[in-house]
Amino acid sequence: MIHLNANDLALAKSLAQLKAASGSHSPSIATLKEALPSLKITIDACFLSNPYATDLFMQELESKLLAKQGLRDALEFYPSQNHIIAQKLAKYLHIDSPHIFIGNGAIEVIQAVLHNFVQTNLVVPIPTFSSYYEFVRNDAKVLLYKLPKEQNYTLDIEAYTKFIQDHNAKNALLINPNNPDGGYIPYDTLRECLARLRHLDTIIIDESFLHFAYEDSSLEQISYTKLAQEFSNVVLIKSMSKDFGVAGLRAGYGIMAENRVRDLLRNGYLWNVNGLSEFFFNLFCDDEFLQKYERVRRSYITQTQEFFKALGQINSIKTYPSRANFALIELLNGTKAQDLCIKLLSSYGIYTRSCSDKIGLEGEFLRIASRSEQENAQILQALQEIFSAC
Amino acid sequence: MIHLNANDLALAKSLAQLKAASGSHSPSIATLKEALPSLKITIDACFLSNPYATDLFMQELESKLLAKQGLRDALEFYPSQNHIIAQKLAKYLHIDSPHIFIGNGAIEVIQAVLHNFVQTNLVVPIPTFSSYYEFVRNDAKVLLYKLPKEQNYTLDIEAYTKFIQDHNAKNALLINPNNPDGGYIPYDTLRECLARLRHLDTIIIDESFLHFAYEDSSLEQISYTKLAQEFSNVVLIKSMSKDFGVAGLRAGYGIMAENRVRDLLRNGYLWNVNGLSEFFFNLFCDDEFLQKYERVRRSYITQTQEFFKALGQINSIKTYPSRANFALIELLNGTKAQDLCIKLLSSYGIYTRSCSDKIGLEGEFLRIASRSEQENAQILQALQEIFSAC
């Protein structure tokens, strides 16, 4: 058992209040720092991004914008319209720009797709990212499909398609790799699933963590663009906050049928990109940047998988198999996830996500992001210390 | 008449193509620069912002973020949620934060309000900012109310309320000062208008240019917060791009009944603020910043009104009375607005907004923004040269 002292308990109380005000999400680092200025967060393992990609972006920003006195222009003037930004991404995504909808973060794309294209009902596998069931229209029904714990929350397409059929569902969600467990559906299995669900109005595939996944040891980047072209009911949604490490920019996109993009742009989403996210989207026209990015993507995956392997060695916890950049760990020795969270934060400055509030998880769970190699080593050491003292 | 040479005509053609791709709006400077790299734009008089406020913001950014190595954190991590940002603005706006909805630019607030709260119909005085009739829901009807040219497009509240009554309208729009003419409805007249329209579901007041308006020579800042508290059907919408000179940040807000903010946040708009706009919103908790801003606001109004007075002296054009930071000018000697636009751009590097496509304007019109004192002098000189040669 983890022993919390008076300070820990006070911290737990403050955090619970901030958490209550943040809905189903963790309070941001900025919010935490303002509310609890004495708290020292040294590692944000709540935040699911590749820190090496952030390094790369900051270097590009420095050399291509700041050093050229371009910051003022980027902040003073209006950015380009949605369809202009889509043209910048088109080459990188290997799809014509009228299929691309640019979002102020993936969350805006999720909201736009759910509000505009998901009527009647939506099947949502749980555990999952809560916005998918929280952001549905008031007149649409959410049908929760429980991923089986005994199969490590892996999606079984036989069972999933049967559930969809049995409930006469019109729309379904697939997140691959899934959040919060990191479970991965291989490409061919996913394609088979889509082939069975041709009759649905919309299948949302959230590919926000896809750059961290791999099919084999070559670590080739996986793309679902072809699937979106083959199956016209597919809507791909992607956050760029995670793989490119730039959540503060707010950048995401959707790939979908042209008429859907047209529908969305007809009466909205005109200037939803800001000056710095436009700079970011411009980088996708730059082969040199893409090559550098590919290097940091691969080395981060390698480090991440080593981190997960080491997590798997720690007694008293179970680490679920993940091809994302976070691991879901289950506490087996009676420790409360919330207590471990507080201990990591108060004694080690490590901020993690307790998953006690995630519907679809039964047990005591924590989600831990892979950060830099050095930070991952610190996280491992902290966990080893805590559990050896238990 | 203005004579255009072969280069001018080629430029006109390129601009027309870019304009066609930009809908009812001008292509952004970024889009123009990319599409026409040889074009030299030295003054953007299309862009309706206070450049001194941009200077001030850049100084604050430099000293409070960049110099403190805070840029990476702002771009790497998630910004705070909508309601947290609202709390920062609440003190400045003198209203409780549950009345405040933060937008990724005013355009997002316009879209949210039109899509969620404007059913059946909306009365829109024209000429106006086109998004108000373009962004209405597909099932809502726009009732265009033509502002009378013979009264300088000034809104007459008797006639306006009668029109609303006659059409059994449920929702109405007021932009004050109005865009593109800068016409201003005095506070007491506006209040009287709202008192007559208590029975409407929603009255949208767009106050995006209000910081440039004044009731008398004291140039006191005008606020409609009290009106929004007195009349529960009022929704205030404000862009912060204009008065604070930061269009690239994307920052705007709406003030409305608490239940409306709750409705919007219930299934959307969670993380629509970016890291740098959060930094900007933080400035509103800083009295020193607000004092500095107040100084640049007042001096800019003084310079702007002097600029308009000088514009009014130029032969062959009529300058409409404006209490915004732009002037609508009408060309009286048979010159085409589009030709003047091209001439200003090709020979002087001055980018202006031809208003030929604005519905509700009859004649040849150009909208010219007030920029810095020096730039305004250059604009005046260019116009004097062009019209003395005509």
Side-chain angles (χ1 to χ4, degrees):
Chain A
M1 295 294 288
I2 290 174
H3 296 287
L4 301 181
N5 61 31
N7 283 343
D8 296 340
L9 292 171
L11 175 61
K13 199 175 162 188
S14 304
L15 274 181
Q17 285 165 349
L18 286 170
K19 178 80 186 67
S22 300
S24 319
H25 307 278
S26 305
S28 74
I29 287 283
T31 305
L32 277 183
K33 283 184 177 169
E34 274 179 42
L36 303 168
S38 65
L39 181 66
K40 280 213 165 51
I41 299 176
T42 48
I43 300 177
D44 183 1
C46 192
F47 178 49
L48 311 172
S49 82
N50 177 352
Y52 303 112
T54 314
D55 293 343
L56 173 62
F57 174 74
M58 294 306 292
Q59 287 157 16
E60 300 283 315
L61 187 74
E62 180 57 45
S63 64
K64 292 183 178 153
L65 194 78
L66 305 188
K68 292 181 177 170
Q69 311 295 324
L71 185 61
R72 181 185 170 123
D73 277 5
L75 301 182
E76 181 174 19
F77 298 120
Y78 272 85
S80 297
Q81 293 183 16
N82 205 306
H83 72 280
I84 302 274
I85 308 285
Q87 288 165 16
K88 300 177 197 274
L89 262 186
K91 186 189 131 206
Y92 168 69
L93 294 175
H94 301 290
I95 195 163
D96 293 340
S97 67
H99 285 276
I100 303 171
F101 171 74
I102 302 292
N104 183 40
I107 195 80
E108 185 179 45
V109 187
I110 294 172
Q111 180 183 341
V113 168
L114 292 180
H115 287 203
N116 289 278
F117 306 130
V118 176
Q119 281 99 28
T120 62
N121 54 32
L122 173 71
V123 180
V124 176
I126 54 168
T128 191
F129 181 58
S130 61
S131 295
Y132 278 108
Y133 52 82
E134 290 170 348
F135 278 18
V136 289
R137 290 156 51 138
N138 300 333
D139 57 354
K141 195 176 171 184
V142 175
L143 303 165
L144 295 176
Y145 170 83
K146 227 176 150 188
L147 293 164
K149 183 174 182 179
E150 57 279 14
Q151 288 163 35
N152 288 335
Y153 301 110
T154 308
L155 187 109
D156 175 305
I157 69 157
E158 293 287 345
Y160 193 51
T161 51
K162 185 173 182 312
F163 180 91
I164 289 167
Q165 200 121 7
D166 289 350
H167 289 77
N168 193 24
K170 301 292 181 205
N171 308 282
L173 169 69
L174 290 161
I175 305 187
N176 202 30
N178 194 35
N179 178 2
D181 55 289
Y184 178 67
I185 311 165
Y187 189 92
D188 291 339
T189 311
L190 183 75
R191 200 194 153 281
E192 173 59 26
C193 186
L194 299 182
R196 294 184 189 194
L197 297 174
R198 278 183 189 277
H199 60 287
L200 296 196
D201 292 343
T202 301
I203 307 168
I204 299 170
I205 305 180
D206 187 320
E207 54 172 26
S208 292
F209 297 99
L210 195 60
H211 279 203
F212 308 123
Y214 50 92
E215 289 276 314
D216 54 46
S217 58
S218 74
L219 305 184
E220 285 290 328
Q221 231 181 89
I222 303 157
S223 162
Y224 293 153
T225 305
K226 277 190 185 160
L227 297 178
Q229 285 165 320
E230 186 178 352
F231 302 100
S232 62
N233 59 351
V234 162
V235 171
L236 301 180
I237 299 182
K238 186 160 197 317
S239 163
M240 302 181 98
S241 300
K242 284 80 180 178
D243 33 23
F244 294 96
V246 290
L249 283 184
R250 313 310 298 125
Y253 62 80
I255 296 179
M256 59 195 90
E258 291 191 39
N259 63 316
R260 288 186 162 178
V261 175
R262 231 177 4 245
D263 273 1
L264 293 176
L265 296 185
R266 190 174 49 218
N267 56 9
Y269 307 104
L270 189 64
W271 290 301
N272 60 347
V273 162
N274 61 73
L276 287 194
S277 56
E278 177 158 9
F279 169 80
F280 169 70
F281 282 113
N282 280 334
L283 292 175
F284 291 89
C285 305
D286 177 347
D287 288 331
E288 207 180 304
F289 166 77
L290 294 175
Q291 280 165 22
K292 288 184 201 162
Y293 168 68
E294 187 55 18
R295 283 199 288 277
V296 298
R297 187 187 69 84
R298 285 169 187 248
S299 61
Y300 177 61
I301 293 179
T302 308
Q303 289 178 19
T304 294
Q305 291 298 325
E306 280 166 12
F307 174 51
F308 294 167
K309 209 167 145 188
L311 277 177
Q313 308 296 316
I314 297 173
N315 282 334
S316 318
I317 65 174
K318 170 178 175 173
T319 302
Y320 282 73
S322 167
R323 290 199 181 180
N325 66 333
F326 50 82
L328 184 70
I329 65 169
E330 185 175 5
L331 312 183
L332 303 175
N333 67 352
T335 304
K336 293 279 172 204
Q338 191 52 32
D339 291 355
L340 178 56
C341 255
I342 295 295
K343 195 72 191 170
L344 282 169
L345 190 54
S346 66
S347 301
Y348 301 91
I350 299 170
Y351 185 38
T352 54
R353 173 71 154 88
S354 157
C355 292
S356 322
D357 62 334
K358 278 266 174 200
I359 63 166
L361 283 180
E362 274 162 28
E364 292 295 322
F365 290 93
L366 216 71
R367 192 190 62 193
I368 300 180
S370 166
R371 303 297 303 161
S372 72
E373 198 164 25
Q374 194 196 346
E375 289 175 324
N376 289 349
Q378 287 177 258
I379 297 168
L380 282 169
Q381 200 184 340
L383 288 170
Q384 281 155 351
E385 278 180 24
I386 290 169
F387 285 107
S388 68
C390 275
Chain B
M1 294 294 289
I2 289 174
H3 296 285
L4 301 181
N5 61 29
N7 283 343
D8 295 342
L9 293 171
L11 175 62
K13 198 175 163 188
S14 305
L15 274 181
Q17 285 164 349
L18 287 169
K19 178 79 186 67
S22 300
S24 321
H25 306 278
S26 305
S28 74
I29 287 284
T31 305
L32 277 183
K33 282 184 177 169
E34 275 179 43
L36 302 169
S38 66
L39 181 68
K40 281 212 162 50
I41 300 176
T42 48
I43 300 177
D44 184 1
C46 191
F47 177 49
L48 312 172
S49 82
N50 177 352
Y52 303 112
T54 314
D55 293 344
L56 173 61
F57 175 73
M58 293 307 293
Q59 287 157 15
E60 299 283 316
L61 187 73
E62 180 57 46
S63 64
K64 292 182 177 152
L65 194 77
L66 304 187
K68 291 182 177 169
Q69 310 295 324
L71 185 60
R72 181 182 170 125
D73 277 5
L75 302 182
E76 181 174 19
F77 298 120
Y78 272 85
S80 297
Q81 293 182 17
N82 205 306
H83 73 279
I84 301 274
I85 308 285
Q87 287 165 15
K88 300 177 198 270
L89 263 185
K91 186 188 132 208
Y92 167 68
L93 294 175
H94 301 290
I95 195 162
D96 293 339
S97 68
H99 285 276
I100 303 171
F101 172 73
I102 302 291
N104 182 41
I107 195 80
E108 185 178 47
V109 187
I110 294 172
Q111 180 183 341
V113 169
L114 292 180
H115 287 203
N116 289 278
F117 306 131
V118 176
Q119 282 100 26
T120 63
N121 53 33
L122 173 70
V123 179
V124 176
I126 54 168
T128 190
F129 181 59
S130 61
S131 296
Y132 278 108
Y133 50 83
E134 290 170 348
F135 279 18
V136 290
R137 291 156 51 139
N138 300 332
D139 57 354
K141 193 175 171 186
V142 175
L143 302 164
L144 295 176
Y145 170 83
K146 226 175 150 188
L147 293 165
K149 183 174 181 180
E150 57 280 11
Q151 287 164 36
N152 288 335
Y153 301 110
T154 308
L155 188 109
D156 175 305
I157 70 158
E158 293 288 345
Y160 193 52
T161 50
K162 185 174 183 311
F163 180 92
I164 289 167
Q165 201 120 5
D166 289 349
H167 289 77
N168 193 25
K170 301 291 181 208
N171 309 282
L173 169 69
L174 290 162
I175 304 187
N176 203 30
N178 193 36
N179 178 2
D181 55 288
Y184 177 68
I185 311 163
Y187 188 93
D188 291 340
T189 311
L190 183 76
R191 199 195 154 280
E192 174 60 26
C193 186
L194 299 181
R196 293 185 190 194
L197 297 174
R198 276 182 189 280
H199 60 287
L200 296 195
D201 292 345
T202 301
I203 307 168
I204 298 171
I205 304 179
D206 187 320
E207 55 171 24
S208 291
F209 298 98
L210 195 59
H211 279 204
F212 308 123
Y214 49 92
E215 289 275 315
D216 54 45
S217 59
S218 75
L219 305 185
E220 284 290 328
Q221 231 180 89
I222 303 156
S223 161
Y224 293 154
T225 306
K226 276 190 185 158
L227 297 178
Q229 284 165 320
E230 186 178 352
F231 302 99
S232 62
N233 59 351
V234 163
V235 171
L236 301 179
I237 298 182
K238 186 159 197 315
S239 163
M240 303 180 99
S241 300
K242 283 80 180 178
D243 34 22
F244 294 96
V246 290
L249 283 184
R250 314 308 299 123
Y253 62 80
I255 296 179
M256 58 195 91
E258 291 191 39
N259 62 317
R260 288 186 161 178
V261 175
R262 231 179 0 249
D263 273 1
L264 293 176
L265 296 185
R266 190 173 50 217
N267 55 9
Y269 307 103
L270 188 65
W271 290 300
N272 60 347
V273 163
N274 62 73
L276 286 194
S277 56
E278 178 158 7
F279 169 79
F280 169 70
F281 282 114
N282 280 335
L283 292 175
F284 292 88
C285 306
D286 177 346
D287 288 332
E288 207 180 305
F289 166 77
L290 293 175
Q291 280 165 22
K292 288 184 203 163
Y293 167 69
E294 187 54 18
R295 282 198 290 276
V296 298
R297 187 186 69 84
R298 285 169 186 247
S299 60
Y300 177 61
I301 293 179
T302 308
Q303 289 179 17
T304 294
Q305 290 298 325
E306 281 165 13
F307 175 50
F308 295 166
K309 208 167 145 189
L311 277 178
Q313 308 294 317
I314 298 175
N315 283 333
S316 319
I317 65 174
K318 169 177 176 174
T319 302
Y320 281 73
S322 167
R323 290 200 181 180
N325 66 333
F326 49 83
L328 184 70
I329 63 169
E330 185 175 6
L331 311 183
L332 304 175
N333 66 352
T335 305
K336 292 279 172 203
Q338 190 54 30
D339 291 354
L340 178 56
C341 255
I342 295 295
K343 194 72 190 169
L344 283 169
L345 190 54
S346 65
S347 301
Y348 301 91
I350 299 170
Y351 185 38
T352 54
R353 173 71 154 89
S354 157
C355 291
S356 323
D357 62 333
K358 278 267 175 200
I359 62 166
L361 283 180
E362 274 162 28
E364 292 296 321
F365 289 94
L366 216 72
R367 192 190 62 194
I368 300 180
S370 165
R371 303 298 302 160
S372 72
E373 198 163 26
Q374 194 195 348
E375 289 175 323
N376 290 349
Q378 289 176 256
I379 297 169
L380 283 169
Q381 200 183 342
L383 287 170
Q384 281 154 352
E385 278 179 23
I386 290 170
F387 285 108
S388 68
C390 276

